[in-house]
Amino acid sequence: MFPALNGDCFLISYDSTHILIDAGYSVTYDSYLRDKLKSLSSNGEKLSRFIITHIDKDHITGALDFLNENGSSYSSQIIPIDQIWHNGYRHVQENTVEADKLSFKDKSILLEVMAQSREASIGPISAKQGSSFGSLILKGGYKWNADFDFKAACFENRNKVELSSEATITILSPGWYNLQKLKLYWEKELYKLGFGVKISSDAIFDDAYEFLLLNERKELDFLIASNTNIRISNT
């Protein structure tokens, strides 16, 4: 358990399997996590899973810094990552709609949502905190929710993940119902701002969704039930 003030950052290891759950604040990553991950990588090891439970700033700002620095090329990676669990907007859509060309007005609304939410949630944005976590997953080419057939990480899609003969992850939450409440809330907020086209699979929607929820976290009681809660046990 790395120092993360009021947040979380857990590295669970057994044999040569390593699971990172959340990454605390930037200071958690800079002062503690980076060196540990470099040490593992120098021994030829990797992260089996990187799990983001939810997007409070005390859980995800260190993760933003980590993925920004980890890069997409093998030579620049701090440590290889087999797979990342994180529910973006694309995972809470029941049917993916092809991206439409955004009007100047609609794109401006999305960019304004992102800019205001970033400032309110994580304070002044440095270059390495300018992207959403979902954008960094896509940019780095990581496997995203592959254990769930690339859909939402929720117990309806899969309630147990066997990492090896020694360990199993049991998914306790979220449920699909909770994720749909988030989706409806977000769409309603966009339409309030005058958004005029059908919401699609364009990556900019993932960004706006994530930053808006990061900003509004304390206003949404149902987000508590939407966190990724797991239990890791010996099999």
Coordinates of all heavy atoms in Angstrom, one line a residue, residues 3 18 48 50 59 118 142 160 184 190 192 196 213 222-223 232:
P3 N 1.8 5.3 0.0 CA 1.2 6.5 0.6 C 0.4 7.3 -0.5 O 1.0 7.6 -1.5 CB 2.4 7.3 1.1 CG 3.4 6.3 1.4 CD 3.2 5.2 0.3
H18 N 1.7 -9.4 -10.9 CA 1.5 -8.2 -10.2 C 0.2 -7.5 -10.7 O 0.0 -7.4 -11.9 CB 2.7 -7.3 -10.4 CG 4.0 -7.9 -10.1 ND1 4.5 -8.0 -8.8 CD2 4.9 -8.5 -10.9 CE1 5.6 -8.7 -8.8 NE2 6.0 -9.0 -10.1
S48 N 0.1 -7.7 -14.6 CA -0.9 -8.5 -15.2 C -2.2 -7.7 -15.4 O -2.8 -7.8 -16.5 CB -1.2 -9.7 -14.3 OG -2.3 -10.4 -14.7
F50 N -4.0 -3.6 -14.5 CA -4.0 -2.3 -13.9 C -5.5 -1.9 -13.8 O -6.1 -1.8 -14.8 CB -3.2 -1.3 -14.8 CG -3.1 0.1 -14.2 CD1 -3.4 0.3 -12.9 CD2 -2.8 1.1 -15.0 CE1 -3.3 1.6 -12.4 CE2 -2.7 2.4 -14.5 CZ -2.9 2.7 -13.2
H59 N -7.4 8.8 -6.8 CA -7.2 7.5 -7.3 C -6.6 7.5 -8.7 O -5.9 6.6 -9.1 CB -8.5 6.7 -7.4 CG -9.1 6.4 -6.1 ND1 -9.2 5.1 -5.6 CD2 -9.7 7.2 -5.1 CE1 -9.7 5.1 -4.4 NE2 -10.1 6.4 -4.1
R118 N -11.7 19.7 -16.0 CA -10.3 19.5 -15.7 C -9.8 20.4 -14.6 O -9.2 20.1 -13.6 CB -9.4 19.6 -16.9 CG -9.5 18.5 -17.9 CD -8.8 18.9 -19.2 NE -8.7 17.8 -20.1 CZ -8.5 18.0 -21.4 NH1 -8.4 19.2 -21.9 NH2 -8.5 16.9 -22.2
Y142 N -3.2 -0.2 -25.3 CA -3.3 -1.3 -24.3 C -4.6 -2.1 -24.5 O -5.6 -1.5 -25.0 CB -3.4 -0.6 -22.9 CG -2.2 0.2 -22.5 CD1 -2.2 1.6 -22.6 CD2 -1.0 -0.5 -22.1 CE1 -1.1 2.3 -22.2 CE2 0.1 0.3 -21.7 CZ 0.1 1.7 -21.8 OH 1.2 2.4 -21.5
K160 N -16.2 -13.6 -12.3 CA -14.9 -14.1 -11.8 C -13.9 -14.2 -12.9 O -14.2 -14.5 -14.0 CB -15.1 -15.5 -11.2 CG -15.8 -15.6 -9.9 CD -15.9 -17.0 -9.4 CE -16.7 -17.2 -8.1 NZ -16.1 -16.4 -7.0
L184 N -27.1 8.0 -18.4 CA -28.2 8.8 -18.6 C -28.0 10.2 -18.0 O -28.4 11.2 -18.5 CB -29.5 8.2 -18.0 CG -30.0 6.9 -18.7 CD1 -31.1 6.3 -17.9 CD2 -30.5 7.3 -20.1
L190 N -25.3 17.0 -21.1 CA -24.9 17.5 -22.4 C -26.0 18.2 -23.1 O -25.8 19.3 -23.6 CB -24.3 16.3 -23.2 CG -22.9 15.9 -23.0 CD1 -22.5 14.9 -24.1 CD2 -21.9 17.1 -23.0
K192 N -28.5 19.6 -21.8 CA -28.8 20.9 -21.1 C -28.0 22.0 -21.6 O -28.4 23.2 -21.7 CB -28.5 20.7 -19.6 CG -29.6 20.0 -18.8 CD -29.1 20.0 -17.3 CE -30.0 19.2 -16.4 NZ -29.5 19.2 -15.0
G196 N -26.4 19.0 -29.8 CA -27.5 18.8 -30.7 C -27.5 17.6 -31.6 O -28.4 17.3 -32.3
L213 N -17.6 13.5 -15.0 CA -17.8 12.7 -13.8 C -16.8 13.0 -12.8 O -17.1 12.9 -11.6 CB -17.9 11.2 -14.2 CG -19.0 10.8 -15.1 CD1 -19.0 9.3 -15.2 CD2 -20.4 11.2 -14.5
F222 N -25.0 7.9 -6.5 CA -25.1 6.6 -7.1 C -23.7 6.2 -7.7 O -23.5 5.0 -8.0 CB -26.1 6.5 -8.2 CG -26.0 7.5 -9.3 CD1 -25.1 7.3 -10.3 CD2 -26.8 8.6 -9.3 CE1 -25.0 8.2 -11.4 CE2 -26.7 9.5 -10.4 CZ -25.8 9.3 -11.4
L223 N -22.8 7.1 -7.7 CA -21.4 6.7 -8.2 C -20.8 5.7 -7.2 O -19.9 4.9 -7.6 CB -20.5 7.9 -8.3 CG -20.4 8.6 -9.7 CD1 -19.7 9.9 -9.6 CD2 -19.8 7.6 -10.7
I232 N -9.8 -10.5 -4.3 CA -8.8 -11.4 -4.8 C -8.6 -12.5 -3.8 O -8.3 -12.2 -2.6 CB -7.5 -10.6 -5.1 CG1 -7.8 -9.5 -6.1 CG2 -6.5 -11.6 -5.6 CD1 -6.6 -8.7 -6.4

